[in-house]
Structures are given as C-alpha cells and as structure tokens.
Amino acid sequence: MRLLNMDELTKKAYGLRRDVVEEVYRSAAGHIGGDLSVMDILTVLYFKVMNVSPKNWDSPERDRFFLSKGHCVDALYMVLGEKGFFDKQEAINTFSAYNSRFIGHPNTEVPGIEMNSGSLGHGLALGVGTALAARMDGRNYRTYVVLGDGEMAEGSNYEAMMAAAHYKLDNLCATVDLNRLQISGTTREVMCSDDLGEKFKAFGWHVIHVEDGNDCGQLVAAYEEAAGMKERPSVLIAHTVKGKGVSFMEDNKSWHHGVMTGEQYRTAVRELREVEHE
Amino acid sequence: MNKITNRQVICDTLLEAAQRDRDLVVVCSDSRGSASLSAFAEKYPQQFVEMGIAEQNLVTVSAGLASCGKKVFAASPACFLSTRSYEQAKVDVAYSKTNVTLIGISGGVSYGALGMTHHSCQDIAAFAALPDMRVYLPSDRFQTAKLTEALLQDELPAYVRVSRSATEDVYDEKMTFSLNKANVLMEGEDILMVACGEMVPGAYRAGELLREAGYGVALLDMYCVKPLDEETLLAAAENVKLVVTVEEHSPFGGLGSIVSQVISAHCPRRVINLALPDGHMIGGTNREIFAHYGLDGPGIARTVQSAMSREG
C-alpha cells in the first residue's frame, strides 16, 4: 500500500475526527475529548508507521498495538474501520448499543484488537510482554502503546517502565497523549504528571518530545527517531490538545465524555470539514 | 515421610516439558527460589523472565507473552498473586483468556509465622469468582505432576495453589488422573468428606479414625475447585447424612461455599464447612496452625463425630 504524505495524513485524521464525532453523537456515549486529542497519533501509527492491516493480521510478524487509554476506543474503531478491519459504518451505528461488539473499551471480538483491555495502567506491561516475545522468537515486529497522561498516575506503569529499560526493549515504543486534562480537571490539579519525560528518562528510556502532538509531520519524524533507537525503549511525549479540532471542546475538561446537542454536533462537523478541505 | 514438595514437582515437570517446547516460558517475581524454579532459570534462561518484585507486572507481562503464542507459567507467592495482581489476573488473564497458568506458591498458611500479610486464605474465593478462571489445589506430589502435565496440554487460564512444605503422599506413580475429575479416596454411606490441597492427607486420617469409630466414610480429593466435579460430588453425596468440606481457606467463598451451592441445589442435606477462622490467626508452622484450628486428622474427626452425634 502507498504510504500517505503529511497533507493526506492530516486530512485523513480530520475525516476520522468527523466520523468519531458522528459515532459519539449518535450513541450519546464515548470519550470525545480524548478521541480528538489522540486521533493524529492513531492515524500516523496506522497509516504511516505500523506494519499491521487486515492482510497481515494472522501473521506473527505484524506490529503490535495497545491502546492503554482504552476509553478512547471510539477513535480506534474509526481508524480500524478505515483500515479495513470491519465496516466503519457498523461501528458508527452500533457503538455502545445493546448487544453490539463495539463496546466502550477494546475487546477482541472486534477485528484488529489484540487484547481485551480498558482498565488503565495495563497497556505498557502488555507491550513489555509482546516485545520480550519478539526477542525470544527472533522476530522483527515492533510494539506500540498509547497512554494517557492522566493514566500515568497508575503505579503499574512504572513497573512496566522499569522492566522495559531493564530488558533494553528497543522494539517497544510508547506514546503519551499529553493533553493535560482528565475527568476531574487538569492533571496538575488532580495528580501532577509534570516532567513525564524526565520520569521516563530516569527509568532509562529514550525520550522524544513532540511539541505539537496533533501535527502528523512531527509525529512521523518522532516515530522514525524511535525506530532507530538501539538498546533502549522510546517514548514520545506528545503535547496534544484535548478536543482538538472542535473549538468549543478544545482544552475544556467538560468534554472528557460530554454529549453533544444537535447544534453542537453540526458545528463540530462543520469545523472539522473546514480543516479537512483546506 | 515424603520430602519432595509440590513446587519442586512443578519445576521438574516444566523442565521435562521445556526439552520439547520452546514456547514454554516461566515468569517469576524474585520468586524463583521460593518457587523452586531456579533450576529452570539456569537450564532455560531464554525461556525464563525475571520481573523483580512487581506482581502486577508479572501477570500482565505474562499475558503479553501469551498473546504471542507463549505458554506461560507465572509463579509468585499466593498471597501477593491473588491480591496485589488480582485485577491483572481478572483483565489480562481471565477476560482475555490468555494461555497463562498462575502458580500461587506458599499458599494458605504456608508462611504461618510470617503473619497475615503472607497468608492467602482468600485466593480460592477471589479466583473462583473470575469468569473463565479455573482453580486447582492439588494434594500431593503425584497429583501435582499430573495436573501440571495436563495444564501444559491446554491453552486456558488457570490458578494453581501449592504449599511451601512437602505434603504427605496420597497417591503413587500409578494414580489415575483426569483433568477436572475428583479422585475418590474412600467410599462410604454415612459421611462424605470433600477436601482439597494440603487438607487431603488430614481428611484421609480423619476418615480412618471415623471408620474405626464405626462410620461409613467417603472422601473426595476435589483438587478441581473450579470447575467443581459436580457429577462425582453428587454421586458420592447421594446416600450420606452429612457432607463435610475441609479447606485451608477463609470460611467464605472457597471449597465449602461452592460445594454447599451444588449440594443445596441438587441433593439438599446438611453441609458443614471446616476452614480457617474469619479473623486473626495464631502464628506457627502450617501444621501447628492446622492442629490449632481443628484441621488435622484428629481435629477433623472430632468435629465430624460431634456433628454426627447430633444427627442421631
């Protein structure tokens, strides 16, 4: 498959934002703020960086991905649907509905999802496991884990960080979607996770700061740097904006899992479409 | 008296299997010594992962390994494995149905004198309540070997609890074993005793004492606490007056609770549950603690005889 250029990636991310806004509006469920902050990261990973698709899903050589901030699965469903793992419209129509497989956290009944998850603080350790397995089996696949910054208060992350550095897992790459907000307020107010890069560095990780974590070009460059790193796991500290792309949601904690009115939905779609067609 | 521990037998069985299976992986949390797995770590360093004192990481990393086709045996003291990493067991092992066998070493009151922090008298209840998690408490070394061999053959989540000290032999090499089938150790028409793990030898001794006192006694080794072997249980319970469960566990949510559920639903009769107390426990060796709370042969026999005398 031809890889997309930066402009195309950005357009795709904005198209997927429109999809997730529709999914969340229809279901009156989901976590729209985080969906919008992480969408560029997911788009870049699935359409530029990772070697995973419906074609190689059964191959042990596929890259592994864990969305540790599993409540943003709404966004992941749109990316996986776009990637061809299933009919995206089915996810939009049935997200969180009675008896739907598209529930509010990642589960393996949905093609393209590696493990059941959703409880915070598990993804990085799962990634340590798959990265260790790659080494044992002499395989070249890489493991990518996306974490939230609020999630970094979970102690299990630090057990996984320690082990990843101990085992020099250079085939493991984490990304922190640093949008500085969580359900009760700013991370500074709730549980300060400032200097996350310093924390990872102290544990022995290679730290890459992505100044604008909603900029596809910066993300691609950072993932390239991570892929070249030897003997150390890498982490992207991606400075993002929660609610990115929808003016009234941006940097506003009430949109962690807010529900849109019809008018808000139409405004959101219009704003996203404007960027998409720039 | 047997001196070979069940944990040693698990290591021997895994060593044997690792000769043929490169996907077999053992994971420890600074517990290779106490799990008797040092020999495995030395012989198969490529199939051994040390996680340090980090039980949550132990369990989730094991699940990650299993998701890539590894057959993982993760060993850590039962007290920590069943509480500190409970959520990891629920989500990453049971919910995701990964090929991980959790080995809870030094279970129950094995670490008697170390106090309540190191006891695991809630592990049966905790793990049995997890959907898709199986719970096994093998009694002696022969059953432990057979169980480990059987678990190496399947790909489903399981929790196995073993003791720290060597358990008296109940079987020999020629024992019959079938996964999820209880072993009938005694048959009788008055009393049915159902025991698991370390309690089986004591229950056997109690059965002998009760027989000497003139009672017809049946005894089941219900090493498969979940899925419980209901068929064997109900067949054995059919004609008895009293069902007695014996377990190294809290009185709630363990073997006694599960057996009582099945008996009350299918052949209602009196069930008494012999277990450790719901509260502070004395310190001492595990055998001293068993005797103190009436969970050794004579203690079990006394309680059962007194219950039977009330049956008339």
Side-chain angles (χ1 to χ4, degrees):
Chain A
M1 197 177 81
R2 187 183 67 85
L3 293 176
L4 303 179
N5 65 35
M6 295 314 142
D7 195 38
E8 289 167 323
L9 276 173
T10 304
K11 284 187 189 311
K12 189 174 277 296
Y14 273 81
L16 290 166
R17 278 188 168 87
R18 265 197 303 111
D19 291 332
V20 79
V21 161
E22 185 183 351
E23 177 190 32
V24 166
Y25 173 64
R26 281 194 185 208
S27 61
H31 290 79
I32 189 66
D35 293 338
L36 295 175
S37 75
V38 81
M39 193 56 98
D40 306 289
I41 293 167
L42 296 180
T43 304
V44 164
L45 282 172
Y46 275 91
F47 292 95
K48 190 79 178 176
V49 174
M50 293 198 299
N51 173 33
V52 63
S53 70
K55 272 190 189 152
N56 75 349
W57 182 245
D58 291 327
S59 164
E61 288 289 0
R62 73 185 182 280
D63 284 341
R64 304 303 200 275
F65 176 77
F66 299 106
L67 182 65
S68 197
K69 47 175 282 181
H71 53 281
C72 290
V73 74
D74 342 344
L76 181 60
Y77 288 154
M78 296 303 94
V79 173
L80 293 176
E82 181 75 13
K83 195 78 187 170
F85 279 99
F86 47 80
D87 175 12
K88 188 169 63 182
Q89 199 58 43
E90 184 196 338
I92 292 173
N93 293 345
T94 70
F95 176 64
S96 286
Y98 171 70
N99 208 19
S100 169
R101 59 183 170 159
F102 296 98
I103 61 172
H105 286 108
N107 81 98
T108 54
E109 282 184 36
V110 174
I113 294 200
E114 295 279 355
M115 291 278 275
N116 293 329
S117 62
S119 173
L120 298 173
H122 289 236
L124 202 52
L126 287 172
V128 170
T130 57
L132 280 169
R135 181 173 294 170
M136 284 176 184
D137 293 339
R139 296 192 187 282
N140 292 320
Y141 67 81
R142 291 176 60 76
T143 296
Y144 293 88
V145 180
V146 170
L147 302 138
D149 53 351
E151 180 187 2
M152 291 310 294
E154 291 280 8
S156 50
N157 285 319
Y158 300 86
E159 293 186 4
M161 278 158 69
M162 193 178 266
H166 177 83
Y167 287 108
K168 301 182 168 56
L169 297 177
D170 52 20
N171 55 354
L172 175 66
C173 177
T175 305
V176 180
D177 176 17
L178 193 103
N179 59 34
R180 298 177 298 111
L181 285 177
Q182 57 192 106
I183 195 165
S184 304
T186 64
T187 49
R188 276 205 173 146
E189 291 163 346
V190 179
M191 185 50 62
C192 184
S193 59
D194 280 2
D195 301 325
L196 264 181
E198 292 301 309
K199 292 181 174 77
F200 272 98
K201 194 176 163 199
F203 276 84
W205 285 56
H206 176 62
V207 179
I208 305 165
H209 287 279
V210 183
E211 206 169 305
D212 182 354
N214 295 116
D215 180 305
C216 293
Q218 289 186 30
L219 287 167
V220 169
Y223 284 120
E224 279 171 3
E225 180 181 334
M229 193 64 204
K230 297 289 173 216
E231 301 272 302
R232 278 173 192 229
S234 294
V235 60
L236 276 62
I237 306 293
H239 296 263
T240 57
V241 173
K242 200 156 180 170
K244 175 74 178 180
V246 177
S247 58
F248 58 89
M249 292 185 189
E250 285 193 0
D251 211 22
N252 182 343
K253 75 164 184 182
S254 58
W255 287 99
H256 178 80
H257 54 11
V259 174
M260 286 166 273
T261 64
E263 194 185 334
Q264 285 171 325
Y265 165 67
R266 285 184 291 277
T267 305
V269 169
R270 190 181 63 243
E271 290 183 8
L272 293 168
R273 191 167 273 143
E274 277 168 16
V275 180
E276 200 183 337
H277 296 293
E278 260 172 16
Chain B
M1 176 88 181
N2 168 50
K3 288 203 170 63
I4 301 170
T5 60
N6 290 350
R7 55 198 165 108
Q8 181 62 51
V9 167
I10 292 175
C11 180
D12 294 344
T13 310
L14 296 179
L15 277 170
E16 172 77 21
Q19 291 177 19
R20 300 178 302 274
D21 191 351
R22 287 193 52 196
D23 282 329
L24 170 59
V25 174
V26 169
V27 189
C28 283
S29 55
D30 199 19
S31 49
R32 69 180 84 178
S34 42
S36 300
L37 283 163
S38 300
F40 190 100
E42 277 159 34
K43 188 152 186 206
Y44 297 102
Q46 303 306 315
Q47 289 169 248
F48 179 86
V49 182
E50 176 60 74
M51 293 318 306
I53 306 169
E55 292 79 14
Q56 299 179 78
N57 214 33
L58 169 91
V59 175
T60 307
V61 169
S62 294
L65 285 161
S67 79
C68 297
K70 299 299 174 191
K71 186 176 293 178
V72 183
F73 281 67
S76 184
C79 50
F80 311 129
L81 196 56
S82 63
T83 51
R84 179 77 63 95
S85 49
Y86 186 53
E87 204 225 18
Q88 282 73 17
K90 172 196 160 196
V91 175
D92 303 319
V93 179
Y95 180 31
S96 284
K97 281 192 203 166
T98 43
N99 189 358
V100 177
T101 300
L102 300 169
I103 307 286
I105 55 168
S106 303
V109 293
S110 291
Y111 287 133
L114 296 184
M116 295 287 277
T117 55
H118 283 59
H119 296 172
S120 61
C121 299
Q122 77 307 309
D123 53 346
I124 301 177
F127 283 121
L130 296 180
D132 289 316
M133 180 65 83
R134 299 173 296 171
V135 178
Y136 299 108
L137 281 79
S139 55
D140 78 350
R141 56 185 167 136
F142 300 105
Q143 193 181 46
T144 301
K146 297 278 191 190
L147 172 65
T148 309
E149 285 163 12
L151 293 177
L152 279 161
Q153 301 305 313
D154 73 33
E155 300 187 340
L156 299 169
Y159 170 71
V160 178
R161 185 225 271 189
V162 291
S163 178
R164 182 167 178 76
S165 53
T167 307
E168 285 174 51
D169 287 344
V170 177
Y171 306 99
D172 57 30
E173 286 90 349
K174 297 188 294 270
M175 78 169 291
T176 56
F177 177 90
S178 177
L179 188 63
N180 301 332
K181 290 301 285 181
N183 282 81
V184 181
L185 297 179
M186 292 183 179
E187 290 180 299
E189 298 287 297
D190 297 318
I191 302 159
L192 167 62
M193 293 197 293
V194 185
C196 62
E198 285 286 278
M199 295 290 99
V200 173
Y204 194 91
R205 178 73 191 125
E208 290 175 332
L209 293 170
L210 290 163
R211 282 181 165 182
E212 283 166 22
Y215 295 105
V217 180
L219 172 61
L220 298 183
D221 177 350
M222 191 64 79
Y223 74 91
C224 44
V225 178
K226 184 190 172 193
L228 193 84
D229 179 2
E230 296 189 14
E231 191 185 355
T232 305
L233 174 68
L234 292 172
E238 199 176 353
N239 297 312
V240 302
K241 297 186 186 72
L242 179 71
V243 177
V244 181
T245 62
V246 193
E247 62 189 314
E248 184 184 356
H249 192 265
S250 120
F252 308 114
L255 178 70
S257 297
I258 299 171
V259 165
S260 297
Q261 267 186 335
V262 175
I263 294 288
S264 63
H266 299 287
C267 63
R269 56 192 31 49
R270 188 167 174 218
V271 181
I272 59 171
N273 174 214
L274 307 190
L276 290 162
D278 175 37
H280 176 78
M281 268 186 268
I282 60 147
T285 66
N286 57 349
R287 295 218 162 78
E288 287 165 344
I289 293 173
F290 298 157
H292 183 86
Y293 294 110
L295 293 175
D296 60 347
I300 296 166
R302 266 197 312 275
T303 310
V304 174
Q305 205 159 354
S306 140
M308 281 303 282
S309 65
R310 288 202 300 277
E311 286 291 314

